[in-house]
Amino acid sequence: MRKLLFIFSILIAITFSSCRKDFTFEQSTGGLEFSKSTVYLDTVFTNVSSSTYRLKVYNRGSKDIVIPKIQLGKGINSKYRIMVDGMTGDAGAIGKSYTNVELLAKDSLYIFIEVTADVASANPTDFLYTDQIQFSNVSGAPQTVDLVTLIQDAIFIYPDKYSSTSFESINLGVDNTGAPITITGSNLLANDPVNGNELHWTKGKPYVVYGYALVPDNKTLVVDAGAKVYFHANSGLIVAKSGTIQVNGDFPSDHKPENLTNEVIFQGDRLEPVFSDVPGQWFGILMLSQNTNTINHLILKNATVGIYCVPLDAINNFYSTKLNITNSQIYNNSNYGLFSLGAQITGKNVAINNCGQYCLACTYGGTSNFTNSTFNNNWSSSKQLAVLLSDYFADTSSSGTTTYYANNATNNYHFNNCIMYGSNQVEFYIDRIGTQTFTYSILNSLIKFNNSQLNDNGLYDFNNPIGPYANSCYITKNNIHFTPSFKNPDKNQLWTTVDLSVAPSLMTAMTPTVTLDILGKDRTSNTTLGAYQFIP
């Protein structure tokens, strides 16, 4: 027993002597390395917090060190906030200063960075707000990492807050059961005490919308060329039944697609590059209006539904919403690009790309006429479509689904010089289940359609180039024959790289009915199908 105790005591002694009781830290002499020498925080709106950015700090040396101070150069007055390895900061300087930060040898730490600043804090010449993170040491000047962000002044439109749980709401009428429809949002006013005329959006400052903004009955929202509007999550624009919207964008002066100076832009308010093509960031435009609404040169992207044209009470009080849309682009919407429920729509030079369900959905009848428009859908789904035509809609509630037919409405859909294309075998589909007259025509267009069963359906006469529904159309069954050869649909570049108008194996020249394309280029000779004239 004594021998066992002796051996056991020796083992314990060896074990404890071989373990490091604590770390010995030396004062940093510099030599830290950083994942970035400058952290660029993407553009933010005045007094709106940025996303969180990350900086990694490395100790490549063989010694454990303590950094005497990590702090913002502008101290407690800095508009930036930092968090160092989960710590909140020194007392009285939370998020601004950290004392005696330990960093093991061959290890690293994270610094998380945010900023909330107003335009008055930025440099008046370039609107940049800057600071730096300083890492002190005992050898000399601190090491630094620069912080840079662009601050945009903006006009903010948001519902008033009445209490901690109560916000301004807008009344949209009643639903099919007679229950009132209300939603958090604000009525646009001609004489708002803060913003002035909210019914006239100009290019001077960007607009940022929180909640839903309503164009009230008997009012008109006018949007000037070059206006930029950013919508927060769960927000959108609603045009009331007797309201009107006029979007007055213009052609780029140099006819180049990257020149957006004169375009009106509606998109989400996340300005970081990683969010540039993320769908579903805001709702979209809810078009309840029975007046004639005009949209020209609008780029609308990253919504749930780009434009949703529906009567407020489609069952008990049906009326047609009305929209004339020209030279406009609708991209990357999680459900629909342009949805019509019995609406009257005229579209010229319209480009709709990549939507979770349909680029264009014309349902419950109505009249739609599209000329020189491009509908392309490469969404990664077997059910997506470029174009859907339907004579009904299904109303789903907790008690089940009720189908309503357009028996009291017309079903007139017409397409001329258009492209309907995408990644699926069928990109044009007719969903007809009612008995009302169903009329459609497709003239001088390219259609992606490869389904023998549907091909035998009387609604699809694609066996011959000329038929009662499709006249002088080219039917592509794969990605080689009659392909439009878009520049890069993933980047919403829907102009063809092969001149369809002069390539006999692809497409004969078409007589132009729209003399300028979406960029203002002349179409009067060698007309190209779709919204874009051929760009070599």
Side-chain angles (χ1 to χ4, degrees), residues 93 116 182 186 200 216 286 297 301 309 317 354 387 396 414 421 426 430 442-443 449 476 496 534:
T116 303
T182 58
S186 57
H200 186 189
L286 176 57
H297 284 285
K301 63 179 186 175
C309 296
N317 185 25
N354 285 349
V387 175
T396 302
H414 305 284
Y421 198 75
V426 172
I430 299 172
I442 306 176
L443 307 176
F449 190 92
T476 175
T496 63
F534 169 63

Side-chain angles (χ1 to χ4, degrees), residues 14-27:
I14 293 173
T15 301
F16 276 91
S17 64
S18 64
C19 291
R20 186 173 183 175
K21 295 181 180 180
D22 58 77
F23 297 100
T24 302
F25 290 90
E26 297 185 1
Q27 292 287 311

Side-chain angles (χ1 to χ4, degrees), residues 476-536:
T476 175
K477 297 179 180 295
N478 50 52
N479 294 328
I480 299 175
H481 192 56
F482 299 142
T483 174
S485 300
F486 294 128
K487 173 69 174 180
N488 191 336
D490 291 338
K491 295 183 178 180
N492 302 315
Q493 298 173 347
L494 296 184
W495 50 91
T496 63
T497 55
V498 175
D499 192 350
L500 303 182
S501 66
V502 298
S505 62
L506 294 177
M507 198 69 61
T508 57
M510 301 299 161
T511 302
T513 57
V514 181
T515 57
L516 299 177
D517 82 341
I518 195 171
L519 301 174
K521 296 181 63 176
D522 189 274
R523 287 186 184 274
T524 54
S525 62
N526 295 331
T527 302
T528 306
L529 298 183
Y532 293 89
Q533 187 68 357
F534 169 63
I535 299 177

